[in-house]
Amino acid sequence: IAIVIVVAIILYFIFRDKLNNREGIPQSLLPVYQYYESCIKLETRNAIDIAGAQGGAIESDNYVPGSEYAPFSTHLNFLGFPVKYWYYVEGNGIIREDIPTKSEIEGEMENFIAEGLAECDFSEFYKQGFEIDKEEPEVNVDILDNKVEIEVNSELNVKKGNDRATKKDFKESVDSKFGKFYNLAKGIY
């Protein structure tokens, strides 16, 4: 029994990299894929931060100023960030509501992440002799109460020497209470 246990432990340590890497990506190419996954997480965190700071919007709509009668505008300038009002009075006295839906926020995050991934810098890997070819990403974001889940469909081909690999689907999750706070804000409103 002791011999079987020792052999099992030795085999585990010999093959643990292959067990952890179920996608068949050679060890020499893993840093490129790990870097791309870190780009996905970074862009997602940036999107969450911007949407949280700007009242749920990443892309700022047209600014509509108020008037002497109704000094409100569509946005509050808070430390240089345009925070959209969910409820405001236009210059002509008409009351407006502009509450972003969760699907609208997800759509803006998807666009933001896709644009950011296009700027993901692989220059250090090119210097090391890697050949990297990536498609334009298709991003899907799902905002949950305590996390934001991201799916990126973008074929990433990596080659170095005799090693080559392709991966198309990337799934990441970022811990964030954005969804919970959004629901609380809507409840308070």
Side-chain angles (χ1 to χ4, degrees):
I1 294 175
I3 293 172
V4 171
I5 292 174
V6 170
V7 169
I9 292 171
I10 291 171
L11 288 174
Y12 170 76
F13 283 108
I14 291 173
F15 294 108
R16 74 175 170 193
D17 289 337
K18 291 182 181 176
L19 291 172
N20 291 336
N21 182 13
R22 295 185 184 110
E23 296 166 343
I25 298 172
Q27 281 296 118
S28 63
L29 305 180
L30 271 178
V32 177
Y33 291 101
Q34 291 168 342
Y35 175 74
Y36 191 64
E37 289 166 352
S38 72
C39 281
I40 294 170
K41 282 190 170 189
L42 176 68
E43 292 302 324
T44 302
R45 284 189 191 100
N46 291 341
I48 292 168
D49 290 345
I50 292 170
Q54 296 185 167
I58 292 177
E59 301 164 7
S60 185
D61 293 345
N62 292 335
Y63 174 81
V64 178
S67 68
E68 287 183 28
Y69 168 73
F72 277 107
S73 64
T74 57
H75 296 74
L76 168 69
N77 183 3
F78 183 73
L79 301 175
F81 291 101
V83 180
K84 282 177 60 171
Y85 288 118
W86 287 7
Y87 179 91
Y88 61 94
V89 179
E90 286 187 342
N92 58 5
I94 297 175
I95 295 174
R96 296 280 183 197
E97 283 187 317
D98 191 10
I99 304 169
T101 65
K102 196 177 279 190
S103 62
E104 290 172 342
I105 297 170
E106 289 170 346
E108 288 187 14
M109 284 185 177
E110 290 167 359
N111 294 336
F112 182 88
I113 294 168
E115 289 173 11
L117 289 178
E119 303 297 320
C120 193
D121 183 18
F122 290 100
S123 61
E124 287 299 316
F125 294 106
Y126 291 131
K127 290 177 187 174
Q128 297 173 24
F130 286 92
E131 295 177 30
I132 301 168
D133 182 39
K134 65 178 178 145
E135 289 182 345
E136 193 169 316
E138 293 178 20
V139 181
N140 185 30
V141 173
D142 191 19
I143 299 173
L144 305 174
D145 280 349
N146 293 315
K147 64 182 174 179
V148 176
E149 294 181 343
I150 312 96
E151 292 181 24
V152 177
N153 293 323
S154 173
E155 191 169 289
L156 183 63
N157 300 305
V158 181
K159 180 182 174 189
K160 183 176 182 185
N162 292 331
D163 292 337
R164 65 178 65 211
T166 299
K167 185 174 177 182
K168 183 174 176 139
D169 298 318
F170 298 87
K171 294 182 181 182
E172 294 297 325
S173 180
V174 174
D175 292 334
S176 171
K177 295 188 187 293
F178 183 88
K180 182 178 181 179
F181 289 137
Y182 173 80
N183 292 333
L184 282 171
K186 276 189 72 173
I188 291 170
Y189 177 77

